[in-house]
Amino acid sequence: IKPNFNTADPSPAGTHNDILAQIVAELQERDAREITLGESSGPPQTQGVMEQKGIFDMASGMGFGVVNFDEMPESDWVHVMPAGTHWPEGFHLPRQVVGAEYLVSACCLKTHGSGGVFTMSMKLAVGLTPKPIRRGMHRSPDMRLMIAELNQGYKPQLIILDGVDAFTDGGPTRGELKQGNVVIAGTDRVAVDAVGLAVLKELGSNEAIMGRRIFEQEQMARAVEVGLGVSGPDQIELVSDDDEGRAYAATLRGILAQG
């Protein structure tokens, strides 16, 4: 499980402990042999963030492992060098993530006021990299393209986007808070982020979100170029198991179609 633990700030700044506990419980009910949570926070130290959030106590009580990527030896990192990216020297990802049998990405619904525009499932990849390379990425004019390109190095089998609360401006740690009252689950990072952007538009967000079509966002456009997932809204299937959910899905379909 890769959560969003940038800091110990409350959701939607980071993955809510209730969401994390439910993911673990659902995986255990489906007979997962072993569950491990892995993360690298930033800028705060990962150990301190996990302690503040009570993750080690939760892990002990629920029976899952915890890996602090900051403390891994060099041998546990895999060098990834996709062709034609904005990473001239490539990047490194945890071997445990690249080779995971089943990977769950647990992300939040929020804007990113430091250049990323939005931070959902694709931006989660930044927390899989060694901290030193993140500084250069955040200073680069190609930051949003580089975020998408990081996702070429691994593939989650399930993405869970917590939109119960959302930042519609500001972020990633503090921002304008609105209630989205939605959880989005999917198998395609591009589709999940597209639906998340539609939710932000429905809630009313900042100009960077409202003033650009969903698949014209740089993260999205680059993700499509490198083949990470769906290439447009017509390829996204939205399903729900109740009338209220189906009505909301119809609203989101309309926003996706308009861009």
Side-chain angles (χ1 to χ4, degrees):
I1 303 171
K2 168 61 174 76
N4 182 342
F5 288 166
N6 258 20
T7 66
D9 293 291
S11 176
T15 301
H16 198 292
N17 281 17
D18 290 350
I19 288 280
L20 176 59
Q22 188 63 32
I23 292 171
V24 171
E26 295 271 357
L27 292 173
Q28 288 173 335
E29 287 176 12
R30 287 158 175 76
D31 298 323
R33 293 191 305 274
E34 182 180 358
I35 299 171
T36 303
L37 178 146
E39 177 63 305
S40 170
S41 306
Q45 292 298 309
T46 306
Q47 179 77 16
V49 169
M50 290 191 181
E51 287 174 354
Q52 288 179 63
K53 288 183 65 66
I55 298 304
F56 297 109
D57 290 339
M58 182 189 293
S60 177
M62 296 193 72
F64 64 89
V66 178
V67 174
N68 179 346
F69 295 144
D70 296 346
E71 297 176 351
M72 291 196 316
E74 228 176 280
S75 59
D76 284 348
W77 293 93
V78 176
H79 183 240
V80 183
M81 189 77 184
T85 73
H86 296 79
W87 294 88
E89 298 177 4
F91 49 86
H92 288 78
L93 296 174
R95 189 177 303 280
Q96 192 166 7
V97 169
V98 174
E101 183 178 351
Y102 195 91
L103 182 64
V104 179
S105 291
C107 46
C108 303
L109 181 63
K110 52 186 176 175
T111 51
H112 189 276
S114 302
V117 179
F118 63 92
T119 171
M120 299 183 211
S121 73
M122 287 190 287
K123 183 68 166 60
L124 206 64
V126 178
L128 294 172
T129 61
K131 282 184 176 176
I133 75 168
R134 300 179 202 171
R135 301 185 189 104
M137 186 203 75
H138 280 87
R139 291 193 295 264
S140 171
D142 299 318
M143 173 184 176
R144 292 169 294 281
L145 308 178
M146 297 169 79
I147 289 168
E149 291 165 356
L150 284 174
N151 286 266
Q152 293 177 268
Y154 74 106
K155 180 174 171 46
Q157 279 67 47
L158 177 64
I159 304 105
I160 299 171
L161 175 59
D162 175 7
V164 175
D165 291 315
F167 287 150
T168 55
D169 194 19
T173 57
R174 288 172 177 78
E176 183 177 345
L177 182 65
K178 293 185 181 179
Q179 289 188 323
N181 295 319
V182 64
V183 173
I184 300 160
T187 57
D188 183 307
R189 287 164 285 187
V190 183
V192 168
D193 282 9
V195 176
L197 285 165
V199 173
L200 289 180
K201 284 178 176 280
E202 195 271 336
L203 292 173
S205 190
N206 59 28
E207 178 59 24
I209 299 296
M210 305 301 291
R212 179 168 286 195
R213 293 172 66 87
I214 288 171
F215 278 84
E216 290 176 359
Q217 291 285 352
E218 286 187 294
Q219 276 194 56
M220 300 295 292
R222 185 58 177 148
V224 171
E225 285 178 352
V226 300
L228 289 180
V230 298
S231 59
D234 57 317
Q235 297 177 356
I236 299 173
E237 182 183 13
L238 284 169
V239 296
S240 179
D241 64 354
D242 60 33
D243 290 341
E244 185 179 5
R246 283 188 283 269
Y248 188 56
T251 298
L252 296 181
R253 282 192 206 98
I255 296 171
L256 284 163
Q258 294 171 5

